[in-house]
Amino acid sequence: MSFKNKPFFVEIFNKYTKQFSKELLIDSDSSENAIQKTISIANIDPLNYDIKVQEASVSQAQGWLEEKFPSGDAKHKIIDGDNGVYELIYNPMGNPYD
């Protein structure tokens, strides 16, 4: 997978409990656009969640997408491949916060 723009890591936290919810990798042209993609494509309600965006290097993002669990399963799931939205899975059972 090659990035059309810049990769951004997006962390999502519950606004009220401050509990971590999920982490996404988003191919975007700006951090503002990454937030908009998070809200629209990943169905995150900005009234209930804090969204933190950090620009990543292309090599760091590529490595993140290539990581696998010992079972051979990918450590991410594709939310929207055409728009470059991927979710990090923290364990083979899936994201415990979903």
Side-chain angles (χ1 to χ4, degrees):
M1 143 101 225
S2 64
F3 292 92
K4 297 174 191 160
N5 299 295
K6 294 183 266 184
F8 290 89
F9 286 118
V10 178
E11 293 180 318
I12 302 163
F13 295 87
N14 184 297
K15 214 173 243 190
Y16 306 105
T17 66
K18 304 299 181 201
Q19 185 177 20
F20 173 79
S21 180
K22 60 178 74 175
E23 183 175 8
L24 304 172
L25 173 63
I26 297 182
D27 183 9
S28 179
D29 56 359
S30 68
S31 59
E32 292 81 17
N33 185 262
I35 291 171
Q36 289 304 316
K37 282 186 176 184
T38 300
I39 291 168
S40 64
I41 296 171
N43 297 320
I44 300 299
D45 181 0
L47 297 175
N48 294 319
Y49 292 93
D50 286 326
I51 301 169
K52 296 181 182 180
V53 178
Q54 180 180 355
E55 188 172 343
S57 69
V58 172
S59 61
Q60 182 183 23
Q62 285 292 109
W64 188 84
L65 288 175
E66 293 168 1
E67 283 186 353
K68 302 221 181 274
F69 289 112
S71 65
D73 294 335
K75 285 189 173 183
H76 72 279
K77 62 182 177 182
I78 300 170
I79 304 295
D80 186 337
D82 293 337
N83 286 304
V85 180
Y86 306 90
E87 180 180 351
L88 175 61
I89 300 172
Y90 282 93
N91 64 58
M93 301 301 290
N95 189 339
Y97 300 109
D98 267 347

